[in-house]
Amino acid sequence: MQLPDEFVRRTEALMGRERFERYLKAFGEDAPVSIRLNPRKTGGKGFEVIGGEPVPWCREGYYLPTRPNFTFDPLFHAGCYYVQEAASMFLDEVLRQHFHPSQEGFALDLCAAPGGKSTLMRSALPEGYVLYSNEPIRQRASILLENVQKWGYADHFVTNLYPKDYRKSKMKFDIILCDVPCSGEGMFRKDEATIREWSPQNVEKCQQLQRDIVNEAWQCLNDGGLFIYSTCTFNTKENEENIRWMISELDARVLNVETADDWHITGSLLPGFNEPVYRFIPGISRGEGLFMAVMRKRGETNGRERNNGHRNKSVSPLQPLSLPKQASSLTPQTEFPQVSLSYSQALAYLRREAIVLSPEAPRELVEVCFMGEPLGLAKNIGSRANNLYPKEWKIKTTHIPNEYEAILRHT
């Protein structure tokens, strides 16, 4: 894999020779594979990750010994777990240390697709909290909506807006996550396309875009609110220099996150800038590239003035995206009779094929399940069950494995 010469020059100077050599060595190693369990669907049900090793900075995160084909696991489609890069799960540790639970509040993930950090945040927030997950690009917003729906939490809405639309809405949030678009240096090992797209000019362009997004988002944050900034890149222009700009221009207060030495997280690499920031580097920390900083807006939040009483999507000035037609409800509020499927039936259902249920199955709208976990709805008419799985979500492959390669199992 050929890295751009200018990137090599800049990044070696940034990291130092020893750290940079360890980073380069990681290109010859397999990238870690990790998942994060959905506590709503697996908690208390005796599920365990087969061969899983805990991700130390995430309560529900696990490294897998190998990379399975997740497409053929019905529990993946049921939202029992999310396939997420381990470094990005550091958000869980941030929230654990700096989010103080209350029964009501609003959170925003402004650049949320495909949904890893959003679903993590939703699991970390208490019932009654409202989370908006936004993605400006429509196609990516549809993917985000699917992942949010399958995660199965109420009070979690997806929007397809620009940051300025949130500012204009005058909604206020207690927590805002900005995982901003970046030059993608931290993903070079995982995605060769990011290497081809890299240039010094793109780094400069990204820095300005990031500041524009942050400036819009900051106006949506309540006084005393928590602001989490992250990228998947290494350079200081998109990272430390932006945090320094936030301190200077927005009067942001940077917060410390307690970490363990064996997590091998790298701090500030900008000379003269000593605020606590957190950088994951492949070959040093166990994950892909990530930068994160945590800030608080000065002042005290007055909960009585939050959002002028906007408590749900029906009165919100923002319009959430609609679910696909005939979308299955994978939330606990579902009240349809449940019917269990075999593994082959489950795959057929996920491919939107007609299936035949057992003679005992009710002749009505039913919720079909695999290992007790809902996959979606079907209309059982006896001779067959009409498949109501959303066509936007169907598995397109024609290959069907002979055996189930389990990732989770009941203990």
Side-chain angles (χ1 to χ4, degrees):
M1 187 179 300
Q2 183 65 42
L3 298 175
D5 291 341
E6 182 63 13
F7 168 77
V8 171
R9 185 188 68 78
R10 290 182 177 208
T11 308
E12 182 176 359
L14 174 71
M15 294 183 181
R17 185 62 190 173
E18 180 183 356
R19 188 181 285 130
F20 185 66
E21 286 182 348
R22 292 176 64 183
Y23 163 66
L24 290 180
K25 185 179 177 182
F27 281 87
E29 302 168 352
D30 291 334
V33 181
S34 50
I35 64 171
R36 179 174 42 79
L37 297 182
N38 185 340
R40 173 173 289 256
K41 297 189 175 185
T42 62
K45 295 185 179 180
F47 274 112
E48 71 172 5
V49 181
I50 299 173
E53 179 184 346
V55 174
W57 47 81
C58 180
R59 289 164 286 189
E60 305 292 340
Y62 291 87
Y63 294 104
L64 299 184
T66 59
R67 185 175 188 87
N69 193 325
F70 296 107
T71 299
F72 299 126
D73 184 6
L75 295 183
F76 168 66
H77 298 279
C80 290
Y81 63 89
Y82 192 99
V83 183
Q84 184 175 7
E85 194 280 310
S88 67
M89 298 183 198
F90 185 63
L91 175 63
D92 187 62
E93 186 68 25
V94 169
L95 293 172
R96 188 184 68 80
Q97 293 189 31
H98 289 290
F99 169 65
H100 307 295
S102 61
Q103 289 306 112
E104 294 185 355
F106 287 79
L108 168 65
D109 184 354
L110 192 57
C111 311
K117 294 184 181 69
S118 270
T119 52
L120 187 157
M121 185 183 290
R122 178 60 270 182
S123 294
L125 296 173
E127 296 289 341
Y129 231 84
V130 178
L131 173 59
Y132 281 84
S133 295
N134 180 68
E135 172 53 49
I137 300 173
R138 182 70 188 208
Q139 184 176 7
R140 286 170 56 83
S142 297
I143 296 170
L144 172 64
L145 180 64
E146 176 182 349
N147 287 328
V148 164
Q149 172 68 1
K150 289 179 176 180
W151 205 243
Y153 282 67
D155 290 329
H156 190 177
F157 308 120
V158 173
T159 55
N160 177 216
L161 301 168
Y162 289 100
K164 66 181 181 181
D165 297 318
Y166 270 88
R167 173 181 53 78
K168 291 178 179 178
S169 77
K170 300 189 183 302
M171 286 192 74
K172 293 289 185 178
F173 298 89
D174 306 293
I175 308 171
I176 295 180
L177 167 64
C178 276
D179 184 35
V180 290
C182 68
S183 59
E185 296 166 353
M187 303 302 289
F188 281 3
R189 176 173 68 165
K190 194 174 181 179
D191 183 3
E192 290 191 30
T194 58
I195 300 176
R196 295 190 294 271
E197 294 167 0
W198 187 92
S199 70
Q201 294 77 20
N202 192 39
V203 170
E204 297 286 347
K205 181 180 178 181
C206 286
Q207 184 194 54
Q208 186 56 56
L209 174 61
Q210 291 153 359
R211 292 185 181 187
D212 291 343
I213 291 172
V214 166
N215 189 52
E216 300 277 11
W218 193 258
Q219 298 178 62
C220 300
L221 186 64
N222 275 320
D223 289 345
L226 192 66
F227 193 94
I228 304 166
Y229 176 91
S230 68
T231 73
C232 58
T233 206
F234 299 131
N235 68 78
T236 61
K237 285 185 176 294
E238 299 176 69
N239 294 327
E240 284 93 340
E241 291 182 34
N242 276 348
I243 304 306
R244 185 171 62 185
W245 173 83
M246 292 182 67
I247 295 170
S248 172
E249 298 297 319
L250 304 177
D251 197 26
R253 180 166 65 92
V254 183
L255 304 179
N256 181 62
V257 179
E258 295 294 332
T259 62
D261 291 342
D262 60 3
W263 298 357
H264 304 294
I265 298 174
T266 302
S268 175
L269 295 178
L270 179 64
F273 184 81
N274 299 313
E275 296 287 351
V277 296
Y278 306 90
R279 184 184 269 100
F280 290 73
I281 301 173
I284 297 173
S285 45
R286 195 175 175 189
E288 299 305 313
L290 177 87
F291 174 92
M292 188 170 285
V294 189
M295 288 150 282
R296 197 171 292 283
K297 191 173 186 177
R298 298 183 190 275
E300 296 295 329
T301 300
N302 184 347
R304 291 174 296 179
E305 298 179 359
R306 286 176 181 152
N307 297 317
N308 299 315
H310 294 305
R311 285 297 306 141
N312 57 57
K313 66 177 180 179
S314 64
V315 295
S316 170
L318 303 171
Q319 182 58 49
L321 291 179
S322 300
L323 294 171
K325 186 179 180 181
Q326 297 181 325
S328 57
S329 174
L330 301 179
T331 62
Q333 289 76 24
T334 301
E335 297 179 354
F336 299 106
Q338 293 189 337
V339 178
S340 295
L341 300 183
S342 67
Y343 177 58
S344 60
Q345 284 179 312
L347 284 188
Y349 176 79
L350 293 169
R351 293 168 60 192
R352 292 197 87 239
E353 298 172 357
I355 55 176
V356 178
L357 303 180
S358 67
E360 296 78 20
R363 304 290 180 90
E364 57 179 305
L365 202 63
V366 297
E367 187 174 59
V368 294
C369 304
F370 178 74
M371 292 179 63
E373 298 301 321
L375 297 175
L377 301 178
K379 180 65 178 293
N380 186 25
I381 60 175
S383 59
R384 70 177 189 280
N386 293 332
N387 196 323
L388 301 182
Y389 194 66
K391 63 181 180 181
E392 297 91 338
W393 299 357
K394 74 173 184 178
I395 297 175
K396 296 181 172 62
T397 179
T398 57
H399 170 67
I400 299 180
N402 293 325
E403 297 181 356
Y404 176 42
E405 183 183 4
I407 297 166
L408 308 182
R409 66 184 172 199
H410 286 291
T411 57

